């Protein structure tokens, strides 16, 4: 199975209960976010709704494009401070 790596930061890490995980590749970012919400439950859902997402360090502009195998998705919740 080909996968992508999802890395969680700050409050997303606490809500997901892990720093990272591997998930199947080939789906869109929107589909991936829906799966993560189902997988981790109500603590993560509000964070996913306001988070920024980076695909291999670059902001994702097309959330419907399939994610290729091997990429890293960073889930970045809003950060407080300057």
């Amino acid at each position: 199975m080909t996968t992508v790596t999802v890395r969680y930061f700050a409050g997303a890490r606490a809500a997901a209960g892990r720093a990272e995980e591997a998930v199947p590749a080939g789906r869109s970012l929107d589909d991936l976010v829906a799966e993560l919400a189902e997988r981790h439950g109500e603590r993560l859902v509000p964070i996913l709704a306001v988070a920024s997402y980076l695909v291999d360090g670059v902001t994702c502009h097309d959330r419907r494009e399939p994610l290729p195998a091997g990429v890293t998705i960073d889930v970045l919740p809003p950060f407080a401070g300057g």
Side-chain angles (χ1 to χ4, degrees):
M1 169 173 36
T2 58
T3 62
V4 301
T5 300
V6 178
R7 297 189 306 183
Y8 300 100
F9 292 86
R13 179 183 304 187
R18 64 188 67 211
E20 70 178 50
E21 66 184 306
V23 297
R27 67 189 77 182
S28 70
L29 181 59
D30 282 341
D31 292 339
L32 174 64
V33 169
E35 179 186 325
L36 296 174
E38 269 186 45
R39 182 181 292 188
H40 297 292
E42 63 187 54
R43 287 188 61 200
L44 188 58
V45 169
I47 294 169
L48 293 173
V50 296
S52 297
Y53 299 91
L54 301 180
V55 179
D56 281 347
V58 178
T59 301
C60 181
H61 294 289
D62 185 355
R63 295 175 56 122
R64 294 175 291 180
E65 184 175 322
L67 298 166
V71 299
T72 298
I73 310 300
D74 293 331
V75 180
L76 305 170
F79 293 93

